[in-house]
Structures are given as C-alpha cells and as structure tokens.
Amino acid sequence: MRYVSSGNGKMPMISLLAILSISLTINMPGLAVSPMLGKLREIFHSSEMEAQLVTSLPNLCMIPVVLIAGKISTASRQTAVLMTGLLIFLFAGIGCFFAHSMMALIVLGCLVGVGCGLVVPVAAGYISEWFMGSSRQADLGLKSTTSNAMVIVANIYVGIVAAINWHAAFVVYLTPIIPLLLVPFMTQKYVNKHRIINTAPTGQTGAKEAPASEPYHFQGSRSTWMLVSLICLYLFLTYATTSISYYAPFCMEHFGMNTTEVGVVTAMYYLMCAVCGAVVSPLKRFFGKNTMYICLGLCAIGLFGIGFTHNFWIYTISSLITGFGYGIIQPIIYNKTTYVAPNRKLGTQYFGYVLSANYVSIMMVPFVDGAARKIFHSTLPTFEFIFSGAVVCVILIWALCKRHYYIFSVNPDSSAPTPAEIGTATK
C-alpha cells in the first residue's frame, strides 16, 4: 500500500485520493453548465435573469444545507451525510437528461444543490481532521485544484457539446459516481486501521489524539470575528470573480463570439485556479508577505481587462490573470479557517460557515449586479466586469489598511498564526 505524509504520520494514498474525489462535485451546481446559458435562453425564449436562475438557485439551496451539514457531520455521521448528498446529486443530475423546460431544469438544479450542500463541508472536514501543518495546506490546495480542474473539463465539454445537443451537456452532473465508488476508502474505520502515526513526540497530535483546544487556535470572541472576516473576504472576492462564469456567455455572445470561445475563456479562469491550488505553498514563498495584496491586485486587473475590451485573446489572458490571483487566495482562506476554529472538532462546522459564503456569493451575483446596473444607469455590455473590478479594489484597500490582521497576513514559512498574532488578536 502506498502512503502520503499526513503531517503527523502517514495516510494511505487511496484515502487521500478518495477524499479529493469529493471535490470533483462541489463546484458543479450551476457553474458547470454556465457556458450554455445563452443557448438555453435561446431554446426556451427566456429572459437573461431566467437563464441565470439555472446557476443561481442551486447555490441558494445549498446555503442552508451546507450550514446544517457542517453541524451534523460528526465523525460517526460523516459517511452517511456524504453518501446521502452524493446520491441526491446523482439522481437529480440524471433527471436533467429528461428535462424539457426551463422550470424543470431549475427545479432539478435545486435538488443538485441540496445534494452538493451535504457534501461540501465533508470535503474540507476530512482534510482538516486527518492532516496537519504543511501537509494540510498542500492538501487543501489540492482540494481547490481538484474542484477547479473539474469545472475546467466541464466548461470545455459543455461549450463544445451544447451546440450539438444541450441535453448531453448534463453528463457533467454524473460526477458523484466517482466519490461514491471510493467511499469505502475514506471511512473512519478504514483510515484508523491503515494510517500510521508517528510515535516520536512532534509537538502535534493526530486527529484522534488532538486535545480539545490547541494553543495555535484563536479562541472566544476573536475566533468569531476572524470567522466573520474570512466569510466577508471569501464572499465578496468570489462574488466579484464569478462574474466571468455568469456574464462571459452573454458578453461574448454580444460581441459575436461562439460557445466554444466562451468555454475556453471560462475554463482558463478555472485552469489557473487549479494550477495555483496545486502549488500554493511555493507561490506563497515566492510572493512572501505581500501574497494577499498582489493576488487581489491581479484579480482587479483581470476583471478590468475584460470590462474595458471586447477581444477574445484579451478576455482569455484576463481570465488567466484573475484565476491566478483567486487560485492562490482560495486555499489560503481554507487553511486559515482551520486555525480560526477554536479546536479541530469544530473545524468541519467552521468550514460549513466559510464555504457557505461561496454559494451565497454565486447566488447573489445577478441580483447585486442587476441593481448596480440600474443605480448607475449603465448600458455597457461589460458593466458587470467593471463593477466587479471595483469591488476587488475595495477589498484590496481593506487588506492594506488591516495588513497586520491574521486574515490578510501571509507567513511563507508557516500556515499557522504566530504567537505574536495570537497575542495581538486577544488584546
């Protein structure tokens, strides 16, 4: 049996692969089929808002389910919660092959969202439970890589297939089959039986031996405020960058580009997210303490690049730049969540709170942007990208003003907060 480092010992590689396979599903609801929103609008003669509900409503349904799943996914219930979510996702996805109206697609998409919502906290919770230190940061990066890589494949596939048979595009909703087949390798029983724990003192303990409260975790009201800050950062940054998935189909269609080109542009965003997730630790060391500010600046530049031009190649480069910035920040947020939680037992619950922000942001995109367009009386086809770029600029200003705050600070040598940061936070 092959093993990988867990930070305090070794884990079966098949268990890590099984855990990562869960992340194949977590970005699927709505986003996977976004390249054909323009096509669905044309087929069903619907409005732009109705077409966007195929993407936004599944994510709305996910929000309460993610929060509930975070609370109920205890060690003894994780497998049951995971399998229930994957099966709901799969059966709803199969139903999409037989849908013949926009309303049917929206309802089935909402069921997909419910299934996915049960899965999301477990995907991160397993990594937080079984991995520690640099191994945890690396595996959370791989989690981000896996989820974004799947969206790349889905976007390219949907962009090509939608022009031929839009029903066939929903093959991407069959991805729960993969983690379902691998469930036996990620159960508590299997992992406890096959993992190897270091017997020598290392200053860190395994998932089962972890004390109720570890010294490098934030406590009390500081933990709560850190959690709120992480949620806000993730919420508004994801909201801003998701405009690429939401509005590229309509914007590019307006400028005479086809669904294949739309699929390429959206896929490039997720490509860079995936690549950066896999190498987030070296990138942190390369950019050093300025990592967060550089990445936020890149996101803003990429969004403005799309907002002020209408060229396919500029769109592609801008999408890559935005994905690069967001792809580094996303796993950093995940890792900070594990230390913001007062202890490891609450890690899955805190992941539920933070990850729910992802789906709130995706859901609110068309409503916030629609309101902003009315407020500014804009008729520009690229208005949403310009507005999103401005939102990222506001986040960047916030980060610069709070540059010593743990949420925005990056220590290239360690993912955990330093004693000084803990001391400052508790004052």
Side-chain angles (χ1 to χ4, degrees):
M1 181 180 293
R2 298 192 65 179
Y3 286 86
V4 295
S5 173
S6 64
N8 68 321
K10 295 181 179 180
M11 280 275 288
M13 179 178 285
I14 186 63
S15 295
L16 174 60
L17 294 175
I19 292 169
L20 292 176
S21 74
I22 303 172
S23 296
L24 292 172
T25 65
I26 63 176
N27 280 344
M28 286 292 103
L31 291 182
V33 296
S34 61
M36 69 171 180
L37 291 182
K39 183 72 174 179
L40 292 176
R41 181 183 175 187
E42 176 185 331
I43 292 170
F44 296 112
H45 306 289
S46 62
S47 66
E48 181 176 319
M49 178 63 75
E50 288 174 321
Q52 288 175 336
L53 289 177
V54 176
T55 300
S56 61
L57 280 187
N59 290 282
L60 176 62
C61 292
M62 288 179 69
I63 297 164
V65 180
V66 168
L67 295 174
I68 293 170
K71 284 183 173 292
I72 66 175
S73 295
T74 59
S76 60
R77 296 174 181 169
Q78 278 180 329
T79 302
V81 173
L82 175 64
M83 290 193 67
T84 300
L86 291 173
L87 288 171
I88 293 173
F89 190 138
L90 179 60
F91 288 129
I94 292 172
C96 291
F97 288 100
F98 306 99
H100 291 285
S101 69
M102 187 68 82
M103 180 57 67
L105 288 176
I106 292 172
V107 171
L108 288 167
C110 289
L111 288 175
V112 167
V114 170
C116 190
L118 290 171
V119 168
V120 166
V122 180
Y126 271 137
I127 295 175
S128 177
E129 179 181 1
W130 297 116
F131 296 88
M132 300 189 71
S134 59
S135 295
R136 179 192 287 166
Q137 173 72 89
D139 292 331
L140 286 170
L142 289 175
K143 172 192 175 298
S144 178
T145 294
T146 303
S147 60
N148 289 308
M150 188 61 211
V151 177
I152 297 168
V153 174
N155 273 258
I156 293 176
Y157 170 78
V158 171
I160 295 172
V161 171
I164 304 169
N165 185 335
W166 66 270
H167 273 112
F170 287 100
V171 165
V172 297
Y173 278 175
L174 302 184
T175 51
I177 292 174
I178 299 172
L180 277 169
L181 293 175
L182 294 173
V183 162
F185 301 106
M186 62 181 108
T187 60
Q188 293 280 329
K189 181 178 179 181
Y190 182 88
V191 174
N192 279 320
K193 180 179 179 182
H194 293 92
R195 70 181 178 133
I196 300 172
I197 302 175
N198 287 338
T199 54
T202 60
Q204 291 178 323
T205 55
K208 292 294 180 183
E209 293 74 30
S213 178
E214 296 174 314
Y216 53 76
H217 285 241
F218 290 95
Q219 303 295 324
S221 62
R222 298 310 304 167
S223 172
T224 303
W225 281 113
M226 291 279 182
L227 174 63
V228 171
S229 297
L230 274 177
I231 290 173
C232 290
L233 172 61
Y234 199 22
L235 175 73
F236 290 108
L237 184 60
T238 303
Y239 151 77
T241 58
T242 300
S243 60
I244 293 176
S245 289
Y246 262 95
Y247 295 106
F250 306 109
C251 174
M252 295 176 70
E253 182 184 35
H254 177 84
F255 292 120
M257 302 175 209
N258 57 44
T259 57
T260 301
E261 290 173 317
V262 172
V264 170
V265 168
T266 53
M268 290 305 99
Y269 167 73
Y270 291 105
L271 172 64
M272 288 310 297
C273 288
V275 170
C276 292
V279 293
V280 64
S281 294
L283 288 172
K284 280 173 58 181
R285 288 193 294 271
F286 179 78
F287 290 120
K289 295 181 179 180
N290 295 318
T291 298
M292 192 69 75
Y293 320 122
I294 292 171
C295 291
L296 287 170
L298 289 172
C299 289
I301 291 170
L303 291 167
F304 284 136
I306 299 175
F308 290 109
T309 63
H310 50 268
N311 177 276
F312 168 69
W313 293 110
I314 295 178
Y315 281 8
T316 303
I317 294 171
S318 296
S319 184
L320 285 167
I321 292 172
T322 305
F324 182 86
Y326 184 78
I328 297 174
I329 293 176
Q330 188 179 49
I332 290 176
I333 290 175
Y334 292 162
N335 198 54
K336 286 181 181 292
T337 301
T338 64
Y339 296 108
V340 166
N343 55 64
R344 296 180 67 185
K345 291 181 180 180
L346 290 174
T348 301
Q349 184 174 333
Y350 268 54
F351 269 117
Y353 294 139
V354 172
L355 292 171
S356 67
N358 180 68
Y359 304 104
V360 172
S361 64
I362 295 171
M363 177 275 299
M364 75 183 196
V365 169
F367 304 103
V368 173
D369 286 341
R373 182 179 280 274
K374 289 181 180 179
I375 291 172
F376 290 100
H377 305 288
S378 176
T379 57
L380 287 173
T382 57
F383 168 80
E384 289 80 9
F385 296 101
I386 298 172
F387 184 73
S388 294
V391 169
V392 177
C393 287
V394 173
I395 299 174
L396 177 57
I397 293 170
W398 176 32
L400 289 170
C401 291
K402 302 281 286 185
R403 57 187 176 277
H404 299 302
Y405 196 40
Y406 175 65
I407 300 305
F408 298 111
S409 66
V410 173
N411 182 354
D413 300 318
S414 174
S415 302
T418 64
E421 287 172 322
I422 292 288
T424 300
T426 54
K427 288 181 180 179

